[in-house]
């Protein structure tokens, strides 16, 4: 979501003459877009801001702005801790940025704007025009709603992003069309709980929105995140079968495998319901990839609760997992819960969990060796390619992309196979998988005859 917001900031400041600088040293304006989801993210913000103090001393005209969730949460306290900061703007203030920056430019004042607006039109009118970039991207995020009304007890989002608000479907479709014109082939629709998209405002349902995006010519793939397990609907499950562009991957955060902890987290589903949804997804779409988020060491999590989480991981066999040590967040009710778990215990539990998941991730990747996968190429891989074949007079290049199931595939291409000017970026290539690693797969374009380019 912050990646998307940063792009909005870039777009909205362009008319003021600002464009991306090549380094901090030459910048006239530095905007730090912050995340408050876990304690570590917030600590990073302050250490980064601290490092900017010297630069500001050397360049007093430099404007430093802090936006995003930490800005929303801390407001003017940021200025007290970091007096070299000129502007603090909250999650709802992006559209007011030009006005704020212009005032700072002319008055050399410092400003704080953490006002929360509930006006849908304001949010709906986020600048739909695509970014003017010399090297346009193949994939893009598109925020379809902001805020959250769920109030999970560990989570800061409802306090820093405000109430759930959905964008108009027309605005989303028009933004995606614009992105496709710049070369984007895959969009990830973003919301804290996409299942409730449009409900409050009586707009299209989320599956209806997906169907509209699916119609857009030139778009190859659609992903979305995040779906809340409590209200993953049958319609959305069917969409995986019905919509040809919707990738067969779902990120479905479970957070814990223990019903007692799920209740304390206020997740409003239990383990049984979660497993039922997984069964439905797999019955509907047998090769769907499933990833999830898990928090270890939530206050009061006993060894037995943790074992239930491990057990759920074994039962589901996720394709990948994002696991986090619980950390207290300001305003989130769990910060006031008793029975906090020690840092060492959280660390140990996290390691145990990651080791277990590693086994499943590696196994799922290994199974793909020898198979052909359709890969949407995102660009050249940064990795240097060793040419194993010493006899070969051709240089190799390595491309990188993803399968529909969201697995990273790097593939080596000898220039014998493809002329130098053949640009694969943005194309779907049939790749024969030859090696599996933990975080990626390695392959070669399928042999002639097998090879297919979708575009
Ligand atoms: N501590 C640890 N992890 C958290 N997450 C959200 N809040 C916290 C917290 N206080 C995790 C959840 C969520 C992901 C984005 O971050 O797993 O799904
Ligand atoms: Fe946070 Fe829960 Fe909302 Fe997700 S659903 S953003 S975890 S409050």
């Amino acid at each position: 979501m912050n990646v998307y917001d940063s792009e909005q900031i870039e777009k909205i400041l362009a008319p003021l003459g600002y464009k991306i600088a090549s380094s901090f040293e030459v910048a006239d304006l530095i905007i730090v877009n912050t995340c408050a989801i876990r304690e570590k993210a917030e600590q990073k913000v302050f250490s980064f801001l601290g490092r900017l103090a010297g630069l500001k001393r050397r360049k007093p005209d430099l404007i430093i702005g802090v936006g995003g969730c930490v800005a929303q949460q801390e407001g003017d306290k940021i200025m007290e801790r970091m007096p070299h900061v000129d502007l603090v703007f909250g999650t709802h203030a992006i559209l007011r940025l030009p006005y704020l920056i212009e005032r700072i430019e002319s008055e050399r004042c410092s400003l704080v704007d953490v006002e929360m607006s509930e006006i849908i039109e304001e949010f709906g009118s986020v600048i739909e025009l695509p970014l003017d970039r010399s090297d346009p991207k193949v994939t893009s995020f598109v925020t379809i709603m902001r805020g959250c009304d769920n109030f999970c007890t560990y989570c800061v989002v409802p306090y820093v992003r405000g109430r759930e608000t959905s964008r108009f479907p027309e605005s989303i479709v028009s933004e995606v069309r614009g992105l496709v014109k710049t070369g984007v082939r895959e969009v990830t629709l973003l919301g804290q709980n996409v299942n409730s998209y449009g409900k409050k405002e009586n707009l299209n349902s989320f599956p209806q929105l997906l169907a509209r995006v699916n119609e857009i010519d030139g778009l190859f793939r659609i992903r979305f995140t995040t779906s809340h397990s409590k209200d993953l609907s049958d319609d959305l499950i069917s969409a995986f079968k019905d919509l040809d562009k919707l990738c067969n991957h779902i990120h479905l955060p479970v957070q814990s495998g223990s019903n007692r902890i799920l209740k304390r987290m206020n997740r409003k589903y239990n383990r049984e319901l979660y497993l039922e949804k997984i069964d439905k997804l797999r019955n509907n779409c047998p090769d769907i990839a499933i990833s999830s988020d898990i928090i270890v060491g939530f206050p009061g999590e006993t060894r037995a609760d943790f074992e239930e989480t491990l057990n759920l991981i074994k039962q589901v066999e996720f394709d990948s997992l994002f696991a986090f040590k619980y950390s207290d967040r300001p305003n989130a009710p769990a910060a006031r819960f008793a029975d906090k778990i020690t840092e060492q215990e959280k660390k140990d539990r996290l390691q145990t969990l990651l080791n277990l998941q590693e086994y499943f991730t590696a196994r799922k990747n290994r199974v793909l060796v020898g198979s052909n996968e359709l890969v949407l190429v995102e660009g050249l891989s940064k990795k240097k390619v060793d040419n194993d074949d010493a006899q070969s007079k051709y240089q190799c290049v390595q491309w990188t992309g993803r399968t529909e199931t969201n697995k990273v595939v790097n593939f080596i291409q000898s220039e014998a196979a493809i002329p130098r000017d053949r640009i694969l970026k943005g194309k779907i290539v049939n790749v024969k998988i030859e090696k599996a690693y933990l975080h990626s797969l390695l392959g070669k374009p399928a042999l002639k005859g097998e090879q297919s380019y979708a575009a």
Side-chain angles (χ1 to χ4, degrees):
M1 224 160 242
N2 273 15
V3 170
Y4 180 83
D5 287 349
S6 296
E7 287 175 355
Q8 299 302 316
I9 292 171
E10 189 181 338
K11 282 187 228 174
I12 207 161
L13 292 181
L16 267 65
Y18 287 104
K19 53 180 199 280
I20 297 293
S22 55
S23 70
F24 291 121
E25 279 68 27
V26 301
D28 299 307
L29 168 71
I30 297 178
I31 302 261
V32 186
N33 194 10
T34 64
C35 174
I37 194 82
R38 289 175 294 275
E39 200 176 14
K40 208 164 143 194
E42 194 177 327
Q43 284 163 354
K44 276 194 208 164
V45 172
F46 286 100
S47 66
F48 180 72
L49 287 175
R51 291 205 297 278
L52 292 181
L55 191 59
K56 176 83 176 184
R57 263 195 306 277
R58 289 199 302 280
K59 281 184 70 176
D61 285 345
L62 170 68
I63 299 174
I64 299 180
V66 183
C69 293
V70 178
Q72 187 67 50
Q73 180 182 289
E74 300 297 316
D76 48 15
K77 280 192 265 166
I78 292 185
M79 302 274 190
E80 286 164 26
R81 256 178 96 172
M82 301 282 158
H84 55 288
V85 167
D86 302 283
L87 170 66
V88 174
F89 63 101
T91 53
H92 290 199
I94 292 180
L95 292 176
R96 296 190 289 275
L97 255 185
Y99 158 78
L100 295 166
I101 301 277
E102 273 177 334
R103 262 195 70 193
I104 295 174
E105 282 173 344
S106 59
E107 297 172 30
R108 299 314 306 179
C109 54
S110 50
L111 294 174
V112 177
D113 178 351
V114 287
E115 195 92 349
M116 290 260 198
S117 63
E118 298 301 328
I119 315 161
I120 181 170
E121 282 79 4
E122 203 177 299
F123 177 54
S125 69
V126 276
I127 329 105
E128 287 161 20
L129 291 173
L131 274 170
D132 185 16
R133 286 254 170 83
S134 57
D135 185 24
K137 288 185 306 174
V138 172
T139 62
S140 184
F141 293 117
V142 174
T143 292
I144 62 164
M145 55 204 298
R146 73 171 177 198
C148 186
D149 292 349
N150 283 309
F151 293 94
C152 303
T153 54
Y154 51 80
C155 187
V156 76
V157 170
Y159 308 96
V160 290
R161 293 245 174 204
R163 294 291 64 73
E164 208 169 83
T165 317
S166 299
R167 281 178 68 188
F168 292 117
E170 294 73 24
S171 161
I172 296 165
V173 168
S174 132
E175 182 173 353
V176 177
R177 277 192 214 285
L179 287 167
V180 168
K181 280 200 195 123
T182 70
V184 166
R185 296 290 169 255
E186 174 185 303
V187 288
T188 302
L189 306 182
L190 298 176
Q192 303 296 347
N193 180 14
V194 294
N195 302 98
S196 50
Y197 170 79
K199 281 198 181 144
K200 261 190 195 170
E201 295 87 357
N202 217 0
L203 303 169
N204 282 164
S205 70
F206 184 60
Q208 284 166 336
L209 175 71
L210 282 174
R212 287 179 74 167
V213 176
N214 195 65
E215 295 295 303
I216 297 175
D217 283 340
L219 183 70
F220 297 166
R221 288 180 171 180
I222 307 168
R223 302 182 188 276
F224 63 83
T225 196
T226 300
S227 180
H228 196 302
S229 320
K230 77 177 157 64
D231 37 27
L232 171 63
S233 67
D234 288 350
D235 277 355
L236 184 51
I237 293 176
S238 301
F240 284 103
K241 202 163 55 194
D242 301 340
L243 302 179
D244 59 326
K245 294 180 184 171
L246 185 59
C247 291
N248 54 352
H249 166 234
I250 187 167
H251 184 66
L252 198 62
V254 63
Q255 311 298 0
S256 169
S258 151
N259 282 342
R260 208 177 63 83
I261 296 298
L262 286 171
K263 203 164 176 64
R264 277 168 73 92
M265 287 177 163
N266 192 30
R267 289 292 290 178
K268 303 191 189 94
Y269 57 83
N270 57 23
R271 176 192 178 100
E272 291 71 29
L273 186 81
Y274 185 85
L275 292 171
E276 205 178 287
K277 303 271 180 184
I278 298 286
D279 276 350
K280 268 193 185 171
L281 281 162
R282 285 186 169 147
N283 286 337
N284 181 73
C285 183
D287 54 359
I288 194 163
I290 301 174
S291 58
S292 196
D293 288 348
I294 290 185
I295 298 177
V296 299
F298 185 78
E301 184 190 72
T302 61
R303 199 65 221 180
D305 292 318
F306 177 61
E307 291 291 336
E308 286 194 55
T309 299
L310 296 179
N311 190 279
L312 181 129
I313 294 173
K314 288 181 203 155
Q315 214 169 325
V316 177
E317 302 190 5
F318 293 107
D319 289 75
S320 64
L321 264 186
F322 298 91
F324 312 101
K325 287 183 288 177
Y326 167 82
S327 58
D328 283 342
R329 304 315 299 129
N331 298 316
R336 298 185 298 275
F337 287 4
D339 314 321
K340 292 280 159 61
I341 309 300
T342 64
E343 197 51 37
Q344 187 57 48
E345 184 61 26
K346 285 194 272 190
K347 222 169 142 185
D348 292 348
R349 288 183 194 180
L350 182 66
Q351 202 49 55
T352 308
L353 188 151
L354 292 175
N355 290 345
L356 173 66
Q357 179 55 37
E358 216 167 82
Y359 166 79
F360 291 111
T361 306
R363 202 177 71 179
K364 294 224 173 204
N365 285 352
R366 250 190 340 260
V367 166
L368 296 176
V369 173
S371 71
N372 283 9
E373 292 289 319
L374 292 176
V375 175
L376 174 60
V377 181
E378 291 171 24
L380 279 172
S381 150
K382 290 193 184 78
K383 205 171 153 261
K384 261 186 70 87
V385 183
D386 298 324
N387 195 346
D388 291 343
D389 180 4
Q391 305 298 318
S392 170
K393 57 184 186 303
Y394 298 106
Q395 263 196 323
C396 287
V397 288
Q398 181 164 284
W399 297 94
T400 188
R402 278 168 201 266
T403 63
E404 255 198 59
T405 52
N406 210 28
K407 297 188 196 303
V408 173
V409 176
N410 296 307
F411 65 93
I412 297 169
Q413 187 188 42
S414 137
E415 287 182 5
I418 301 272
R420 190 180 276 274
D421 60 355
R422 181 78 199 233
I423 305 293
L424 292 187
K425 186 175 162 186
K427 306 263 164 39
I428 292 185
V429 176
N430 191 352
V431 177
K432 187 158 200 106
I433 306 298
E434 294 183 332
K435 273 188 190 157
Y437 304 100
L438 202 52
H439 300 292
S440 65
L441 300 160
L442 185 67
K444 282 203 178 115
L447 289 173
K448 269 201 184 109
E450 281 177 277
Q451 194 159 332
S452 69
Y453 295 100

